[in-house]
Amino acid sequence: MKLGLIGANMGDYLYKKRIAIPGQGKSGGYRTMIGAVVGSKYFFLYMFSKNSKANVNHKEKLALKELAKSYIRLDQVTIDNLLIDGELVQVESMDE
């Protein structure tokens, strides 16, 4: 996403990004809804396969926007505590 590879900016820190399934490409892969300040903070909020659902509905989009805003507002101490408590899970980048 730092390189501009964003599927869709949904507004209010919410982004949709496609994730490929190895050997199948992005068209049959997953859709993720990510709360983000691009280049700084990223939170995976929701993931679904394209085969099971075409997109989020209006109510889901509104709820995900509120969730994204609430996570983006968290300070690092709170994030660290949520990670320790298991409320959040950190996903490591494969390219770092």
Side-chain angles (χ1 to χ4, degrees), residues 9-22:
N9 182 342
M10 311 293 277
D12 294 326
Y13 306 105
L14 183 65
Y15 296 86
K16 181 167 60 172
K17 179 106 175 90
R18 299 186 314 173
I19 296 179
I21 296 173

Side-chain angles (χ1 to χ4, degrees), residues 22-77:
Q24 295 185 27
K26 290 182 183 177
S27 63
Y30 293 98
R31 304 297 178 260
T32 58
M33 303 302 286
I34 299 170
V37 174
V38 176
S40 177
K41 289 183 177 179
Y42 301 89
F43 296 93
F44 283 100
L45 304 175
Y46 185 55
M47 185 166 90
F48 54 96
S49 70
K50 185 178 177 190
N51 296 339
S52 67
K53 184 174 188 154
N55 207 346
V56 293
N57 66 37
H58 181 70
K59 284 185 179 181
E60 291 169 323
K61 183 178 172 181
L62 292 175
L64 287 164
K65 283 183 174 188
E66 288 302 313
L67 185 59
K69 285 191 281 188
S70 68
Y71 277 124
I72 294 304
R73 291 183 188 125
L74 297 176
D75 61 43
Q76 192 58 51
V77 172

